[in-house]
Amino acid sequence: MAWKLRKGDRLVVASHNPGKVREIRDLLAPFHVDAVSAAELDLPEPEETGATFIANAGLKARAAAEASGLPALADDSGLEVAVLGGAPGIYSARWAGAGKDFSIAMERVEKDLGEKGAAVQDARGANFTCALALASPNGACDTFEGKVFGTLVWPPRGDKGFGYDPIFLPRGGALTFGEMEPEEKHAQSHRARAFELFVKACLEE
Ligand code: IMP
């Protein structure tokens, strides 16, 4: 069973991705947890050697908890494109290259979709997945997963999000994640869904 975080507890957000840290801080805000990022503590980024989002989230959370002596919350997430067999998946960040240029990653997705002949919206189905892991300094670790389904548009639209947000149109919506205000994305995102499970299991009322 998951152990609980209490109001005022210090928590490391074990990510060096500013977009993710911002969203996780927004989601944590109502719970009055004292969140500090891995970058602020100058923690090293472990290599993501896991084969799944859950494995990589666990590995990042455990590494940050061990290095800081604090509970740590890690996020491993990515875009899965149905006709590409789930790619880029756990390699979503790596498709952007060392320069973390997501216009390159989005162009690669579009090129691969073109090679599959995926022109109509129905053939361009995709989802985001987010795995969250909460690790305690004593080695306990709980994990949670959330998904959001939609289709991919081209060209990219909007500059409000991060990563692949400008090409992701959630099912039934008119705006891409890149065009939405943060609150609208938080109402339906993979991260918010995983976060809801984390809150139920790990945050004291
Ligand atoms: P990682 O979890 O550090 O391996 O990186 C996941 C990558 O997936 C991010 O760098 C983003 O490119 C992508 N990603 C994850 N969540 C989102 C999201 O909410 N919007 C857009 N891209 C995302």
Side-chain angles (χ1 to χ4, degrees):
M1 199 184 90
W3 49 281
K4 302 264 184 190
L5 278 169
R6 285 167 305 185
K7 266 190 194 150
D9 277 357
R10 216 155 182 236
L11 173 72
V12 182
V13 178
S15 175
H16 289 260
N17 176 328
K20 278 189 195 175
V21 172
R22 190 182 59 237
E23 290 193 1
I24 293 172
R25 278 207 157 122
D26 278 359
L27 292 165
L28 278 170
F31 301 97
H32 309 287
V33 168
D34 177 14
V36 56
S37 78
E40 284 166 313
L41 294 180
D42 212 15
L43 301 180
E45 269 188 280
E47 218 188 312
E48 295 183 20
T49 52
T52 61
F53 293 113
I54 290 276
N56 281 332
L59 177 155
K60 288 189 275 192
R62 279 193 296 269
E66 198 178 310
S68 65
L70 294 168
L73 179 66
D75 166 314
D76 198 69
S77 45
L79 179 73
E80 300 178 293
V81 184
V83 290
L84 304 183
I90 60 167
Y91 302 105
S92 294
R94 282 164 264 188
W95 277 31
K100 302 190 177 171
D101 182 346
F102 281 93
S103 58
I104 294 175
M106 290 188 283
E107 269 161 24
R108 177 159 171 203
V109 169
E110 185 56 23
K111 180 176 137 294
D112 290 2
L113 279 172
E115 281 167 11
K116 293 280 179 197
V120 295
Q121 212 56 17
D122 276 357
R124 298 167 61 88
N127 67 274
F128 277 122
T129 295
C130 172
L132 290 177
L134 178 70
S136 76
N138 71 15
C141 187
D142 293 295
T143 55
F144 310 92
E145 194 168 76
K147 292 180 188 283
V148 59
F149 291 85
T151 55
L152 298 180
V153 300
W154 196 259
R157 292 174 7 204
D159 58 7
K160 294 202 166 95
F162 69 96
Y164 298 87
D165 278 342
I167 57 172
F168 186 79
L169 185 68
R171 196 179 275 165
L175 299 182
T176 68
F177 272 3
E179 292 172 307
M180 282 178 192
E181 296 303 330
E183 307 75 56
E184 200 179 338
K185 181 176 173 190
H186 296 334
Q188 56 189 306
S189 81
H190 50 314
R191 188 160 294 104
R193 286 183 178 150
F195 197 82
E196 219 175 278
L197 300 175
F198 155 72
V199 167
K200 276 197 193 117
C202 300
L203 281 172
E204 220 168 62
E205 300 268 317

